[in-house]
Amino acid sequence: MLHGHGDDSYRHSSTIIADFSTNVWYGGEPKGLKEHLFSQWATINRYPEVVAESLVQKVASHHGIKPEQVLVNSGTTESIYLLAQAFAGRKTTIVVPAFAEYEDACRMHNHELTFMPWNALADLPPLISDLVFICNPNNPTGATFAQLAAWISQNPKTLFVVDEAFIDFTVGLPTMIAELSWYDNLVVMHSMTKAYAIPGLRLGYLVGTPELIERLKALKQPWTVNTMALEAGKFIFDQYDSIQLPVRQLLADKDDFVADLRENKAFRVYNSETHFFLAETRTGTAAALKQFLIKQHGLLIRDASNFRGLGKGHFRVATLAPETNQRLINALAEWKS
C-alpha cells in the first residue's frame, strides 16, 4: 500500500494545525540529535556501512544478545518485506486488524494467506501456518497480548514474526527479545522511528536466530541504511537512558483524552494500552469525518476503514499535548455527518 497510511498531510492543500493521524511521538527528536547529525555531515561524502555493522553492535549490546542475531534495516517495512521474500510461497497467518504491509509483502511473494481476528487470541488457537505476523501492541487498536510466549510455545513449527514497533508506548509489556534464548521460532521487529520521532530517516532492526539473520542477509540490498540514519541510531543507544519518553504522563493524557471523547455519544472509543486508540463515528464515515476536520479545523486523523476487519466508520487517533487534544474534542462536537 503506497498510500492510505497516516501522516499524509502533504497530500492536502489545507493547512494542518495538528496531526492526530501519526502514532509517532509528538514531542520531536531527542535533545542533541540534530546537532549530532549536523556534526556528522561530512560522512555523507562516503558510502555508509554495508549492513550498519557499528549499529548492529550497539543493538546487540543493549539487548544482551549476539551481533549475529541482529539485522538493522531501513525501517520495519524493510524487515517485513525481507521476511516475506525469505519465506515466499509459505502458509502465513496475519492477526488482524493489522499494518497493511504484512499482507502486501506476503502477496508480493505469493504467500497462502489466512487472517485471524485479534479476539481469537484469547483461546491460544493452534496454527498450521509456517509463519504468523502479529503486532504487539497492535496497530491500529493499541491492544496488547500478554500470552504471546505461551502461544509460541504451543506452536513450535510456526515462525512467529512479532512487530514491537509501539512497545515503547506501553507500560508493563516486556519485549519478546528476552525470549529468544527459549524459542528458535521467534523473530522480533523493532522500530527506532516512532518513539524518537525520526520516521523520515527510516530506521529499525529485527532480531532472531543467527541462521535466520544469515538467510535474510542473503536477500538484503547493500547500503539500505543511510549514513544519517546510522548516526541517529548510534546516538540513541549512546544516550538511551536520558532520552526516554515520559510514557506514564503520555498514557495519563491519553486516558483523559479518551474520557472526554466518550462524552460525545456520536462516537465509540475503544480501549487501548498505548498512546493511540481506535474510535468509530456512529454517523457518516471516517473518510467524510477526516475531510470535515481538515477543511473546517485543520486537524488530521487516520481514516482506519482500510484496515482489514474494520468498517467505514473507524478512525485512529494519537494523543498529543492536552491543549491540542482539546482542539479535536471541540471539533468533533460539531460533527453532524
Side-chain angles (χ1 to χ4, degrees), residues 121-139:
L121 297 180
D123 298 325
L124 299 181
L127 292 165
I128 59 172
S129 301
D130 299 305
L131 283 79
V132 59
F133 280 86
I134 179 170
C135 188
N136 192 36
N138 181 251
N139 176 27

Side-chain angles (χ1 to χ4, degrees), residues 68-87:
E68 294 79 13
Q69 294 178 274
V70 179
L71 186 62
V72 174
N73 290 319
S74 179
T76 298
T77 299
E78 186 188 5
S79 298
I80 293 167
Y81 278 82
L82 281 174
L83 285 162
Q85 182 180 1
F87 294 93

Side-chain angles (χ1 to χ4, degrees), residues 141-287:
T141 66
T144 59
F145 181 45
Q147 294 180 285
L148 186 50
W151 198 29
I152 295 171
S153 179
Q154 292 175 17
N155 295 275
K157 295 183 179 180
T158 300
L159 178 65
F160 282 75
V161 181
V162 181
D163 186 349
E164 294 186 342
F166 304 103
I167 198 166
D168 294 317
F169 296 94
T170 63
V171 173
L173 181 68
T175 175
M176 291 299 294
I177 292 177
E179 304 293 331
L180 284 169
S181 59
W182 297 98
Y183 303 109
D184 59 7
N185 61 326
L186 170 65
V187 56
V188 183
M189 302 186 297
H190 265 224
S191 169
M192 294 189 69
T193 64
K194 308 295 192 303
Y196 305 108
I198 53 171
L201 285 177
R202 312 305 308 130
L203 185 63
Y205 58 91
L206 61 78
V207 296
T209 64
E211 294 77 15
L212 175 64
I213 298 303
E214 282 302 311
R215 184 172 182 174
L216 297 177
K217 278 185 179 179
L219 301 171
K220 183 178 171 66
Q221 297 179 29
W223 309 304
T224 64
V225 178
N226 70 70
T227 300
M228 291 294 102
L230 176 62
E231 287 296 333
K234 292 192 291 184
F235 177 91
I236 287 167
F237 281 109
D238 287 343
Q239 309 295 326
Y240 188 84
D241 290 338
S242 64
I243 61 174
Q244 294 309 295
L245 297 177
V247 179
R248 293 186 183 277
Q249 183 59 57
L250 182 61
L251 293 179
D253 291 343
K254 186 280 302 280
D255 290 341
D256 292 341
F257 193 16
V258 166
D260 289 339
L261 285 175
R262 282 179 172 154
E263 294 295 316
N264 188 333
K265 301 308 178 185
F267 302 95
R268 178 183 179 186
V269 183
Y270 296 80
N271 292 330
S272 167
E273 300 298 320
T274 68
H275 69 304
F276 61 86
F277 54 90
L278 195 65
E280 183 178 9
T281 176
R282 302 183 193 273
T283 58
T285 66

